Amino acid sequence: MSWAGKILRVNLTAGTVKSEPLNMEWARAYLGSRGLGSKYLISEVDPKVDPLSADNKIIWATGPLTGTMASTGGRYTVITKGPLTGAIACSNSGGYWGAELKMAGWDMVIFEGKSAKPVYLYINDDTAELRDAGHLWGQSVWKTEEILKSSLQDPLLRVSSIGKAGENGVLYAAVVNDLHRAAGRSGVGAVMGSKNLKAIAVRGTKGVGNIRDPKAFMKVTFEKKKILAENAVTGQGLPAYGTQVLMNVINEMGALPTRNHRDVQFEGAKDISAEAMATPRESDGKKHLVTNQACFGCTIACGRISKMDEGHFTVQNKPQYWGANGGLEYEAAWALGAANGVNDLEALQYANMLCNEEGFDPISFGATVGAVMELYEMGVLTAEQLGIDAKFGSAQALAHFAEITAKGEGFGKEIGQGSKRLTEKYGHPDLSMSVKGQEFPAYDGRAIQGIGLAYATSNRGACHLRGYTIASEVLGIPVKTDPVESEGKPELVKAFQDATAAFDSSGLCVFTTFAWGVADLAPQLQAACNEEFTTEELEKIGERIWNMEREFNNAAGFTAKDDNLPKRLLTEAAKTGASKGMVSKLPEMLPRYYAARGWDPEGRPTAATKARLSL
């Protein structure tokens, strides 16, 4: 049936590791990964729990297609109650770790309690045990992986770990695997650190051999890979340019949030774009981009591997950063660049490497720096407080802030709390470009109305990957909708949110949805698992997951008032571009969205909706 059929339950307080059977009734109703992991968390954790207390739990979960030959079948999710937002946190990662856990014979690992001292979990197929991590505490993600592979004498080991950011309580700390793939958002790494859990090291040799109909599965996955290969986005754009293909496109349409969303176009966008990454530098004649890279089983290969200019001020005396390394993706390049008015590509790459090395989210970090720079230019923060002159556009300030946030030193401790807490402390809460405490990604909700609604209603705080309406509003996938039009967007957002929940829960990458719909996912799950997974059933599963997450957040204390956008997007019109003179039309879209969802005017699922979805 493609599920391994068992989970590991680790009690960190008691130091015990136990196997238990997967709840197959839940697996059929919530699929796997995001959906199934969230069902376990919500069933076992009080919604009002302090995210950094021992009573919170944290779950690593794979999907039924993780580890299989389905394209992009390397995904896993980390689910917990998030410290950045206080909402449900579910952060998705690629690379090879998820497939390795599945091939070791496990669908999921649940951690509860708190260890008295630093530990890591070692899994080798059926064997799993907690081990002392005193020698790993204080080490970076990169060093942790190196030490574990060396000490366990296994170069094929896969490691999911935290760096100093997770240990130091950076509220947007990430969980990083394979050196530069990350469950990046909502602070899942801070929860891991709060439990004194440093890493999970996995070796799996069993493979995934329990496919329901292997011949049918091979046939359908081959057919679906062909669709990906022939699609302009998944077959050409993403392999050639990665997600960075969007930088110039979004800037030209006037939807690139710039200088903490004061502007919607960045004059330096071309300098930090995919095209710039592929152009030889004047300084040394070499290209920033070395090659693309794929995660486990991926036929798209959108990942970037880059190499810095060794003479750049950030690394000229730091040879440890001279090698080929995980390169910039669009969201990170935007957050570290346009959000702060910085157009120095090498400085962006340096900050990005520090985010990978010490494990923190470049989106929340960069957006928080944008708020810091605005407060500095207003005279609210001083150079003495910050340790540097921090005007918009300063590559030196960006690099400095990345270093002190990674180390947890000086003002870096405040940056590590995120923009919501920082701007509130200094008396200007409206300058936090966030929803539910989580910072925006790289699209302006005034210029692209649907994504603004998606941010406001996202269950994990502002997020583009919970309903990527950019596909429709910018790229015309599956149908073209007008980005500045609000009519029809509530229904569009709901459809994208539900479909994304189903894809996330399958164990496949959401980037496949540039070419596939739920109708392409259904036959793959039918061949792998069982024939109940029709298109209609998957759409219902996605909707069920969304409503379950919403119910948890409501019980945690969130209300309709939290489905909001910052004042800037609602009252300050875009200054340039196609949306010049426009603000977000969220107030008129939100009631229609609630109605489309079957929620009451307070944003609560009605009894009829819950009955229909078997919640």
Side-chain angles (χ1 to χ4, degrees):
M1 291 187 302
S2 192
W3 291 281
K6 59 179 187 170
I7 65 177
L8 268 177
R9 187 175 293 273
V10 182
N11 187 309
L12 292 164
T13 306
T16 57
V17 183
K18 294 177 181 173
S19 169
E20 62 183 62
L22 184 70
N23 185 321
M24 290 311 300
E25 185 182 337
W26 286 358
R28 282 185 284 272
Y30 296 94
L31 210 54
S33 202
R34 171 182 165 187
L36 189 55
S38 296
K39 175 63 176 173
Y40 269 88
L41 182 87
I42 289 166
S43 300
E44 299 182 10
V45 170
D46 182 345
K48 295 191 183 297
V49 72
D50 177 348
L52 298 178
S53 74
D55 292 332
N56 194 12
K57 298 187 183 185
I58 184 167
I59 300 171
W60 276 248
T62 66
L65 297 183
T66 305
T68 70
M69 64 185 291
S71 183
T72 76
R75 311 301 295 191
Y76 75 96
T77 49
V78 183
I79 303 111
T80 187
K81 184 180 180 185
L84 184 67
T85 60
I88 191 164
C90 175
S91 208
N92 191 300
S93 184
Y96 289 77
W97 191 92
E100 199 73 20
L101 180 69
K102 189 79 173 290
M103 290 191 280
W106 306 98
D107 291 303
M108 198 181 298
V109 186
I110 300 175
F111 290 92
E112 47 198 32
K114 176 180 178 175
S115 176
K117 61 179 185 179
V119 292
Y120 75 94
L121 180 68
Y122 175 60
I123 302 172
N124 189 338
D125 289 338
D126 294 328
T127 304
E129 58 187 22
L130 286 170
R131 295 184 174 183
D132 181 76
H135 62 305
L136 300 173
W137 205 255
Q139 300 287 359
S140 72
V141 166
W142 297 350
K143 197 70 182 169
T144 296
E145 182 159 329
E146 180 187 319
I147 292 169
L148 285 171
K149 285 182 173 180
S150 173
S151 62
L152 295 169
Q153 299 186 322
D154 190 350
L156 296 178
L157 198 71
R158 299 295 175 183
V159 179
S160 178
S161 67
I162 54 170
K164 293 188 191 73
E167 295 176 8
N168 294 337
V170 170
L171 290 184
Y172 45 83
V175 172
V176 182
N177 58 281
D178 302 294
L179 301 178
H180 48 250
R181 306 317 304 168
R185 306 222 67 196
S186 310
V188 292
V191 175
M192 194 173 170
S194 75
K195 295 185 175 298
N196 279 325
L197 176 62
K198 180 65 177 177
I200 311 174
V202 184
R203 186 73 173 94
T205 64
K206 296 181 172 187
V208 181
N210 49 344
I211 301 295
R212 185 185 72 85
D213 187 338
K215 284 186 177 178
F217 189 65
M218 288 181 74
K219 182 174 183 290
V220 72
T221 55
F222 177 80
E223 289 168 358
K224 300 308 177 187
K225 286 173 184 175
K226 195 164 181 288
I227 293 172
L228 294 177
E230 292 171 354
N231 180 273
V233 177
T234 53
Q236 297 165 37
L238 286 172
Y241 290 110
T243 56
Q244 269 279 69
V245 72
L246 286 167
M247 184 65 74
N248 286 327
V249 174
I250 300 298
N251 189 55
E252 283 166 18
M253 68 180 289
L256 190 71
T258 300
R259 289 176 283 272
N260 203 33
H261 283 69
R262 290 200 312 204
D263 302 300
V264 294
Q265 288 181 304
F266 180 39
E267 63 284 356
K270 65 183 185 308
D271 304 322
I272 58 172
S273 65
E275 292 83 352
M277 289 172 70
T279 303
R281 292 181 285 250
E282 287 183 19
S283 56
D284 62 1
K286 296 176 182 174
K287 293 177 183 177
H288 182 88
L289 180 68
V290 176
T291 185
N292 64 338
Q293 187 182 48
C295 298
F296 174 89
C298 179
T299 55
I300 301 172
C302 75
R304 305 292 95 182
I305 298 296
S306 292
K307 200 167 182 296
M308 282 193 69
D309 176 357
E310 294 171 12
H312 192 263
F313 78 89
T314 54
V315 296
Q316 57 189 6
N317 298 313
K318 300 172 186 172
Q320 67 268 34
Y321 299 113
W322 291 354
N325 212 300
L328 290 161
E329 298 184 33
Y330 172 61
E331 304 294 334
W334 162 79
L336 301 169
N340 309 304
V342 176
N343 68 335
D344 183 332
L345 184 65
E346 302 301 311
L348 269 56
Q349 174 66 12
Y350 174 66
N352 191 59
M353 284 196 290
L354 292 184
C355 289
N356 289 337
E357 184 183 24
E358 295 300 350
F360 56 106
D361 172 20
I363 300 178
S364 279
F365 165 72
T368 301
V369 169
V372 170
M373 287 182 168
E374 183 160 3
L375 288 167
Y376 177 78
E377 291 201 348
M378 290 166 63
V380 176
L381 295 173
T382 66
E384 289 71 36
Q385 283 171 287
L386 303 178
I388 197 166
D389 174 26
K391 290 188 182 74
F392 278 121
S394 171
Q396 287 78 10
L398 174 70
H400 169 71
F401 290 146
E403 290 165 358
I404 62 174
T405 302
K407 294 172 187 169
E409 295 175 354
F411 199 80
K413 290 179 182 172
E414 299 204 41
I415 294 173
Q417 297 302 292
S419 66
K420 182 175 186 286
R421 290 163 179 83
L422 191 150
T423 56
E424 283 174 352
K425 177 176 178 178
Y426 292 101
H428 293 273
D430 288 344
L431 296 186
S432 171
M433 297 299 116
S434 62
V435 172
K436 300 177 180 72
Q438 180 157 281
E439 288 74 15
F440 286 151
Y443 312 91
D444 195 285
R446 292 165 290 197
I448 307 175
Q449 293 290 327
I451 204 69
L453 176 61
Y455 290 164
T457 57
S458 167
N459 289 327
R460 69 167 185 171
C463 176
H464 59 299
L465 291 174
R466 282 295 177 271
Y468 193 69
T469 64
I470 303 303
S472 171
E473 295 181 281
V474 177
L475 302 173
I477 299 168
V479 291
K480 183 74 175 82
T481 54
D482 185 347
V484 299
E485 178 58 61
S486 60
E487 193 62 41
K489 294 301 166 67
E491 295 77 16
L492 182 77
V493 168
K494 177 190 179 294
F496 269 85
Q497 288 172 336
D498 293 348
T500 300
F503 271 88
D504 283 347
S505 301
S506 73
L508 301 188
C509 177
V510 73
F511 281 7
T512 58
T513 60
F514 287 119
W516 294 347
V518 176
D520 296 290
L521 178 62
Q524 298 182 74
L525 283 166
Q526 287 166 5
C529 301
N530 61 57
E531 291 172 355
E532 295 169 21
F533 292 114
T534 62
T535 300
E536 295 72 27
E537 182 59 25
L538 286 176
E539 288 169 349
K540 191 173 182 180
I541 287 171
E543 188 179 4
R544 179 181 298 131
I545 292 163
W546 191 268
N547 280 268
M548 172 182 67
E549 294 169 340
R550 178 73 180 196
E551 289 258 274
F552 179 88
N553 285 352
N554 287 348
F558 287 90
T559 69
K561 291 187 180 69
D562 297 295
D563 295 337
N564 209 349
L565 293 173
K567 189 175 164 187
R568 176 163 282 171
L569 273 72
L570 298 171
T571 62
E572 295 179 26
K575 298 172 188 171
T576 60
S579 60
K580 183 179 178 180
M582 289 189 65
V583 295
S584 169
K585 297 174 185 172
L586 178 68
E588 65 181 61
M589 291 189 287
L590 195 60
R592 301 205 310 266
Y593 172 83
Y594 286 174
R597 278 245 166 254
W599 295 352
D600 68 20
E602 295 304 309
R604 295 173 301 217
T606 63
T609 296
K610 288 196 277 188
R612 180 173 61 80
L613 297 173
S614 306
L615 282 171

